[in-house]
Amino acid sequence: MGLNNQWMQRDLAVLWHPCTQMKDHEQLPLIPIKRGEGVWLEDFEGKRYLDAVSSWWVNVFGHCNPRINQRIKDQVDQLEHVILAGFSHQPVIELSERLVKMTPEGLTRCFYADNGSSCIEVSLKMSFHYWLNRGQPDKKRFVTLTNSYHGETMAAMSVGDVPLFTETYKALLLDTIKVPSPDCYLRPEGVSWEEHSRTMFLAMEQTLAEHHDTVAAVIVEPLIQGAGGMRMYHPVYLTLLREACDRYGVHLILDEIAVGFGRTGTMFACEQAGITPDFLCLSKALTGGYLPLAACVTTDEVYSAFYDDYPTLRAFLHSHSYTGNPLACAAALATLDIFEEDNVIENNKALAQRMASATAHLVDHPHVSEVRQTGMVLAIEMVQDKASKTAYPWQERRGLKVFQHALERGALLRPLGSVVYFLPPYVITPEQIDFLAEVASEGIDIATRNDISVAVPSNFHPDFRDPG
């Protein structure tokens, strides 16, 4: 028995993995990773895998980055953790100062959580509580987009709309208002992204006009709906949304957990619309992919609604044990240093262009309906019929075939259903991008070559898809 198999058997005896049907591992080998370096992950038998999805979209400057490593090592000898209620520490103060300085103008206060889903919960609770403190208790509903994803805790699921994650728990979720997504994939032929996004905003305008008296906030993923299949839309939608939220007296929450920190081509996606949200949710790349940390950055107006004498009970009494952990803050500070010192955003433009040129040939593939891109995110959507964009039944798991082929070739490509995507660390080289394009092309050929016979259950839901 090889080393990989030994570790796999020990794992399967005791672990329950996230986002996984564990029975799959009766046929699909689990891959234990021993070490990482740059874009590469290496298993216990020395095989390497190029991490094309940044280990669930978190890693931006490579595995075991020496600059981030050193910052954490220095911090662990100084202070590993301290309660953030009534106490503070240098890394969290410095990180907060830098986030306030680099985020859009008007965002002045940082509230920390442990992960993205928790950060969304913070923003939702904070918005509702704001209106309660302001004497408007009826404003307690949230507006969200169809096909959106904001996490897997209860309130975060409530404002999501990917059935695979939400359908089972429907009875437990908040009553939210869902508005059609501005996703440009199904735009009419000849219609631009901007024109389609403007048209789709009409539904949001009507919803706010009818329901603003009871709505606390609108929450959206700016520019890219990640778990919804890397569907994308034009920044003009955000511009129109900010204006409408102001006009109707509704908060705007931007979930930049996946798309922040350079992923869309600017440091924050909302910069492309020239807007400031009331709440900006950040996580994932915040620590360079090292440690769990999230920040909900908000305004002085929101902060002031909670600032009062204790007996008024206006305080935001929300906490996490590891809030503002010094080690995570140290990793975040090192990550921000690299952004500042290495001209990352500008360098990414060349890498994004290479991603586009390396995959350009797939536009003509008979089973690829679209190759779409926003910054350092590129998605390739496989379909059974190109002309009508008819999707493959999700039960066929075409993306899984791409995933398996990529592993054989030494790449970690974890598709979202039939959507193959590149979301690599920013330290990837042009030659490594070419390699990923080659592997993806081969995998797509294999996955779309033959018909697959699957039994479709009576409760078939066409919007389900494999998780990424």
Side-chain angles (χ1 to χ4, degrees):
M1 184 184 293
L3 285 175
N4 282 347
N5 198 34
Q6 290 179 40
W7 283 107
M8 180 179 72
Q9 295 305 325
R10 289 173 64 177
D11 175 294
L12 294 176
V14 291
L15 265 70
W16 188 345
H17 286 264
C19 225
T20 300
Q21 172 46 263
M22 292 300 294
K23 190 174 181 180
D24 279 354
H25 288 307
E26 291 182 8
Q27 291 84 34
L28 184 67
L30 186 75
I31 299 174
I33 295 299
K34 181 178 182 180
R35 62 185 300 271
E37 182 179 6
V39 299
W40 297 101
L41 296 166
E42 185 178 310
D43 68 21
F44 281 80
E45 296 176 1
K47 183 172 180 177
R48 298 201 306 170
Y49 305 86
L50 200 158
D51 188 355
V53 298
S54 297
S55 288
W56 253 342
W57 319 349
V58 299
N59 189 292
V60 284
F61 297 127
H63 297 279
C64 293
N65 184 289
R67 292 151 79 177
I68 304 177
N69 287 0
Q70 190 59 53
R71 190 69 172 255
I72 295 172
K73 289 173 183 176
D74 293 343
Q75 183 59 45
V76 79
D77 287 332
Q78 193 78 18
L79 176 68
E80 84 300 339
H81 186 61
V82 64
I83 184 174
L84 206 61
F87 286 76
S88 190
H89 55 83
Q90 182 176 341
V92 77
I93 296 169
E94 292 181 349
L95 178 58
S96 302
E97 290 171 341
R98 291 178 71 171
L99 288 176
V100 165
K101 184 177 180 180
M102 69 190 301
T103 52
E105 185 176 358
L107 296 174
T108 57
R109 297 284 174 173
C110 299
F111 191 99
Y112 289 93
D114 295 342
N115 59 74
S117 296
S118 297
C119 190
I120 296 297
E121 301 272 338
V122 166
S123 69
L124 298 175
K125 287 178 64 176
M126 204 175 274
S127 175
F128 162 76
H129 200 163
Y130 168 93
W131 295 113
L132 191 65
N133 284 351
R134 291 297 192 210
Q136 295 178 265
D138 290 339
K139 292 174 74 67
K140 56 187 177 184
R141 300 184 73 191
F142 298 96
V143 176
T144 186
L145 299 176
T146 57
N147 196 45
S148 58
Y149 175 88
H150 298 285
E152 293 171 37
T153 50
M154 289 301 179
M157 278 197 298
S158 298
V159 292
D161 187 52
V162 177
L164 180 67
F165 300 107
T166 61
E167 194 77 11
T168 301
Y169 309 102
K170 187 184 298 183
L172 304 177
L173 304 183
L174 301 174
D175 176 29
T176 58
I177 303 171
K178 292 179 172 58
V179 173
S181 168
D183 158 28
C184 292
Y185 177 64
L186 294 177
R187 68 192 183 281
E189 188 175 351
V191 174
S192 69
W193 279 30
E194 179 174 356
E195 185 180 352
H196 182 71
S197 297
R198 285 183 178 276
T199 299
M200 295 306 294
F201 184 75
L202 298 177
M204 178 66 77
E205 174 75 33
Q206 181 178 350
T207 296
L208 292 178
E210 293 177 3
H211 299 287
H212 65 273
D213 286 342
T214 59
V215 169
V218 177
I219 179 169
V220 301
E221 302 159 272
L223 304 188
I224 303 174
Q225 293 185 300
M230 296 297 166
R231 294 289 178 84
M232 302 174 184
Y233 60 93
H234 194 276
V236 71
Y237 190 91
L238 300 175
T239 306
L240 295 171
L241 181 57
R242 174 71 276 180
E243 187 277 330
C245 285
D246 288 340
R247 183 158 29 94
Y248 289 111
V250 169
H251 285 147
L252 176 58
I253 302 170
L254 293 187
D255 174 358
E256 294 224 15
I257 290 161
V259 300
F261 298 102
R263 191 55 72 180
T264 64
T266 48
M267 184 61 79
F268 301 108
C270 59
E271 293 176 28
Q272 297 180 41
I275 65 167
T276 299
D278 299 289
F279 303 91
L280 181 65
C281 296
L282 305 172
S283 190
K284 289 192 182 289
L286 174 59
T287 66
Y290 270 69
L291 290 163
L293 184 69
C296 178
V297 193
T298 188
T299 65
D300 271 342
E301 180 181 351
V302 171
Y303 177 79
S304 65
F306 296 83
Y307 195 91
D308 207 339
D309 295 327
Y310 185 85
T312 66
L313 296 181
R314 289 174 174 264
F316 189 59
L317 301 179
H318 180 104
S319 62
H320 298 274
S321 301
Y322 284 94
T323 292
N325 173 259
L327 300 177
C329 290
L333 287 167
T335 299
L336 297 186
D337 284 344
I338 297 173
F339 272 109
E340 286 187 8
E341 297 166 9
D342 288 10
N343 200 24
V344 173
I345 302 299
E346 192 63 31
N347 292 338
N348 279 358
K349 292 178 181 178
L351 293 174
Q353 182 55 48
R354 186 60 164 255
M355 288 166 61
S357 61
T359 56
H361 64 283
L362 287 169
V363 172
D364 298 321
H365 193 285
H367 290 287
V368 170
S369 60
E370 183 175 65
V371 180
R372 53 184 175 269
Q373 183 176 11
T374 298
M376 288 292 287
V377 181
L378 184 139
I380 307 154
E381 185 138 351
M382 298 184 292
V383 291
Q384 59 179 327
D385 183 77
K386 189 182 184 81
S388 63
K389 294 186 175 179
T390 302
Y392 286 110
W394 62 269
Q395 295 92 335
E396 295 182 358
R397 304 185 75 179
R398 301 274 177 161
L400 183 62
K401 292 187 174 297
V402 180
F403 174 70
Q404 290 173 302
H405 174 74
L407 291 179
E408 292 173 4
R409 292 277 273 118
L412 169 52
L413 279 171
R414 185 183 166 100
L416 291 151
S418 293
V419 177
V420 179
Y421 69 92
F422 300 169
L423 200 150
Y426 304 156
V427 294
I428 194 169
T429 66
E431 293 75 22
Q432 290 165 347
I433 290 172
D434 292 344
F435 167 69
L436 287 180
E438 178 182 299
V439 171
S441 297
E442 294 169 353
I444 290 168
D445 283 341
I446 292 168
T448 61
R449 187 175 296 157
N450 301 314
D451 291 334
I452 301 174
S453 178
V454 295
V456 178
S458 58
N459 63 344
F460 169 69
H461 196 304
D463 293 328
F464 274 69
R465 57 171 62 88
D466 287 342

